[in-house]
Amino acid sequence: AEAALAESVRELWRRKNFDDLLFLLLLLIDACVEPVPRVSMTAGGGGGSLGLIWCMLTNCREEVVACVTDPECKAALDCLTGCGLNDQVCSYQCIVSHESPLFERFSQCVLQRHNCMKNAAEVPAEPVVEPMAEFRGQPLTHEAAEEILIGWLGKERH
């Protein structure tokens, strides 16, 4: 655990940006002073723990086996494993680069149905935001919303 903490601190320090330095401080407080729930969830939320493995194999055996034996789905898992701590951009790039029905089923089982990583995200009650009906003067269709979502990835579909 101490070696993993030291590696995480080195990685976050190496990035030298405000968000990662703030996360580094919270990580140290979580490890040395008192638990910081959001940090504990991100840093140790089951990643590689016996509890995570037990949950995955008990509840999602078929999805896990299907994913790790499929080259594209396994590539998604390997890519995500390679992402740095708290690196949402890397995670997003892995997900959109290796999208597949198998990876979707794996994710739905492990992350949503059984919450094997013990993530706890509350839906905020405020502010109440009404969905957009138009974008750039045109009705906001499902296709247009997808284009907005993946916008910076260009025309390439993953």
Side-chain angles (χ1 to χ4, degrees):
E2 289 177 20
L5 175 63
E7 180 57 34
S8 295
V9 167
R10 278 192 290 277
E11 171 66 18
L12 291 166
W13 180 255
R14 183 191 60 74
R15 294 185 200 170
K16 298 208 185 302
N17 69 61
F18 176 77
D19 289 334
D20 288 327
L21 293 175
L22 177 61
F23 191 75
L24 183 151
L25 291 173
L26 292 171
L27 189 65
L28 290 172
I29 291 168
D30 181 68
C32 302
V33 181
E34 68 178 73
V36 178
R38 302 254 183 216
V39 174
S40 297
M41 177 182 72
T42 303
S49 73
L50 186 57
L52 169 65
I53 294 166
W54 180 259
C55 177
M56 288 171 58
L57 294 179
T58 302
N59 299 302
C60 304
R61 177 176 299 136
E62 289 179 27
E63 292 85 348
V64 170
V65 170
C67 188
V68 299
T69 58
D70 176 76
E72 189 62 26
C73 195
K74 176 78 165 70
L77 297 177
D78 292 342
C79 185
L80 286 167
T81 300
C83 289
L85 187 62
N86 202 34
D87 192 342
Q88 294 178 357
V89 172
C90 179
S91 297
Y92 177 76
Q93 288 173 332
C94 290
I95 291 167
V96 298
S97 296
H98 300 284
E99 258 184 311
S100 73
L102 280 176
F103 183 65
E104 185 176 336
R105 284 195 296 277
F106 170 88
S107 299
Q108 286 176 340
C109 187
V110 172
L111 301 175
Q112 293 176 3
R113 282 199 311 270
H114 298 287
N115 193 18
C116 291
M117 296 188 73
K118 305 294 184 219
N119 292 329
E122 297 175 20
V123 176
E126 297 288 332
V128 175
V129 179
E130 295 297 321
M132 294 172 55
E134 293 184 350
F135 181 71
R136 295 183 176 166
Q138 300 294 318
L140 185 58
T141 63
H142 178 76
E143 291 77 21
E146 278 192 352
E147 290 299 320
I148 294 167
L149 178 66
I150 64 165
W152 65 272
L153 293 174
K155 302 247 182 251
E156 182 178 342
R157 292 287 182 184
H158 297 281

